Amino acid sequence: MTIQTRIGETPAQGGTLPARTNPDQLRHDWTRDELQALFDLPFNDLLFEAQLVHRRWFKANQVQMSTLLSIKTGGCPEDCGYCAQSAKFETGLKASKLMEVEKVLAEARKAKEAGATRYCMGAAWREPKDRDMDMVCAMVEGIKEMGMETCMTLGMLSGQQVHRLAQSGLDYYNHNVDTSEEYYPNVISTRTYQDRLDTLERVRNAGINVCSGGIVGMGESADDRIGMLMTLATLPEHPQSVPINMLMPMEGTPLGRSEKVDPIDFVRMIAVARIAMPQSVVRLAAGRELMSEEMQALCFLAGANSIFVGDKLLTAKNPEEDKDQRLFAKLGIEPMPAHSCPSEK
């Protein structure tokens, strides 16, 4: 569909510039060809269209801030090729037990004081054991009492476990698809792509908001990146939160020496995600430590409106708090209030 959007009176353009996408339209029937056509747009045209969509559904200069804590580190039986927490790789990371509830709540209070509105907790499990759910649910309930959004990433979930998390009031559950279905076996062999989609369906059906995205820079092709976005954009409901991660190579993992991602290609990923999933919060997630201020600014221009704050993401580095504050001041960005996602349940 072609619409005409007025962007200023200039003789060369007649005051209008054609746009290929309708900012009001919410679609779940994207095709590879359509997403490829977006990727193939001239860079400035792609960012223009992403801005049209972004400003339709979100305040242009607000970014949601989350903090991520590893509540159970290392010893995971999975073989995700990017992850230092896998027990199958020699990464020098020592496994730890599930943190005590009060210690997690104390960390959450610090994060709230630092400006975070969502508290995300990750455990290095294939799936949680039922005996762990009491502590996990207590964490959710305690953090909700602070007025923060809550998010958990615990691996695969049974129907009963999803029900318990929903009863505890969990706002978001993170379970990334990571990459395209075709490339997935090159990264992970210990669970299937369908396993991930099944968990997302259980979470969605329980009324919990879905957080699901992927990782760029694992050796995948441009077509695989399109495939990953198409998986997410054609779900029955778009994930309310879509983290786009740039691989942070971890020494000792199969992907520990991966090549760097081209910055412009990464910004294109952000822009296409914004256009294809207009009501989703698109998170500029792992990899910001490796990005220049200029690259991050382009990502925000392309429609990214969420970041992780704090100096660590599970086992990966993240920009320090004062560094983010300086960048936000330069760009005129303000924190997004909690529960601002237009599609949040």
Side-chain angles (χ1 to χ4, degrees):
M1 179 176 180
T2 299
I3 61 175
Q4 297 292 322
T5 302
R6 184 164 297 278
I7 61 171
E9 296 297 337
T10 58
Q13 295 174 337
T16 62
L17 181 69
R20 298 161 53 95
T21 52
N22 182 349
D24 293 320
Q25 192 174 31
L26 193 64
R27 295 180 51 191
H28 300 267
D29 60 349
W30 290 95
T31 67
R32 283 181 181 268
D33 287 345
E34 288 175 315
L35 295 177
Q36 182 69 64
L38 290 174
F39 270 100
D40 291 342
L41 285 174
F43 187 67
N44 287 345
D45 291 354
L46 176 59
L47 264 59
F48 169 78
E49 296 202 25
Q51 269 288 302
L52 287 179
V53 175
H54 184 68
R55 289 168 182 264
R56 167 64 179 85
W57 297 104
F58 294 94
K59 292 188 176 180
N61 297 301
Q62 285 189 350
V63 171
Q64 187 266 332
M65 296 194 291
S66 299
T67 293
L68 176 61
L69 175 70
S70 178
I71 59 174
K72 190 275 175 188
T73 304
C76 182
E78 303 276 24
D79 67 352
C80 305
Y82 51 80
C83 186
Q85 301 198 66
S86 172
K88 299 182 182 296
F89 312 137
E90 294 293 333
T91 63
L93 186 70
K94 293 183 179 180
S96 67
K97 295 181 180 179
L98 183 63
M99 287 176 64
E100 296 178 359
V101 174
E102 285 306 317
K103 187 173 181 180
V104 172
L105 297 185
E107 293 296 322
R109 292 186 192 99
K110 293 178 186 177
K112 183 177 181 180
E113 291 171 1
T117 56
R118 183 184 301 173
Y119 202 67
C120 307
M121 294 156 279
W125 288 322
R126 175 179 170 80
E127 66 266 312
K129 294 181 173 60
D130 289 338
R131 67 171 181 263
D132 297 315
M133 294 304 294
D134 286 344
M135 292 179 65
V136 167
C137 291
M139 294 173 192
V140 172
E141 292 164 3
I143 293 168
K144 281 190 72 67
E145 288 179 0
M146 300 178 198
M148 299 180 76
E149 297 176 15
T150 54
C151 182
M152 282 279 183
T153 178
L154 312 171
M156 295 183 292
L157 296 175
S158 68
Q160 180 59 30
Q161 290 168 340
V162 171
H163 178 68
R164 288 206 59 189
L165 290 170
Q167 283 188 317
S168 297
L170 182 68
D171 294 300
Y172 286 82
Y173 191 79
N174 168 260
H175 201 58
N176 292 335
V177 297
D178 285 346
T179 187
S180 70
E181 185 171 9
E182 294 80 10
Y183 192 70
Y184 183 88
N186 295 298
V187 180
I188 302 162
S189 69
T190 47
R191 78 172 84 167
T192 68
Y193 207 72
Q194 189 60 49
D195 287 335
R196 291 181 180 265
L197 296 178
D198 289 345
T199 290
L200 292 179
E201 183 178 15
R202 293 186 190 105
V203 169
R204 187 169 59 245
N205 290 342
I208 300 173
N209 296 294
V210 168
C211 175
S212 188
I215 306 172
V216 181
M218 299 190 295
E220 75 284 346
S221 67
D223 191 57
D224 289 316
R225 295 174 185 176
I226 292 172
M228 184 267 285
L229 290 180
M230 193 177 78
T231 294
L232 299 172
T234 57
L235 289 172
E237 294 177 8
H238 294 158
Q240 284 76 20
S241 182
V242 180
I244 306 295
N245 299 272
M246 188 169 76
L247 180 68
M248 293 280 285
M250 296 292 173
E251 193 69 32
T253 64
L255 295 173
R257 299 189 181 278
S258 299
E259 295 184 6
K260 291 183 179 179
V261 177
D262 180 84
I264 298 299
D265 288 345
F266 187 86
V267 177
R268 286 183 180 275
M269 280 289 294
I270 297 289
V272 176
R274 165 53 63 220
I275 293 168
M277 293 170 279
Q279 292 184 336
S280 302
V281 172
V282 177
R283 179 176 298 134
L284 183 57
R288 286 201 305 121
E289 177 70 13
L290 303 177
M291 299 179 190
S292 67
E293 288 189 340
E294 293 82 2
M295 181 178 173
Q296 292 183 66
L298 283 174
C299 287
F300 295 133
L301 184 63
N305 60 342
S306 176
I307 62 168
F308 283 119
V309 292
D311 59 3
K312 197 172 185 180
L313 302 180
L314 298 180
T315 60
K317 290 183 179 180
N318 198 49
E320 296 177 356
E321 179 184 342
D322 60 345
K323 194 173 181 180
D324 284 334
Q325 289 176 345
R326 289 196 300 270
L327 177 59
F328 276 24
K330 288 181 183 180
L331 300 179
I333 288 176
E334 299 177 347
M336 180 189 295
H339 304 295
S340 293
C341 175
S343 60
E344 185 175 293
K345 298 178 181 179

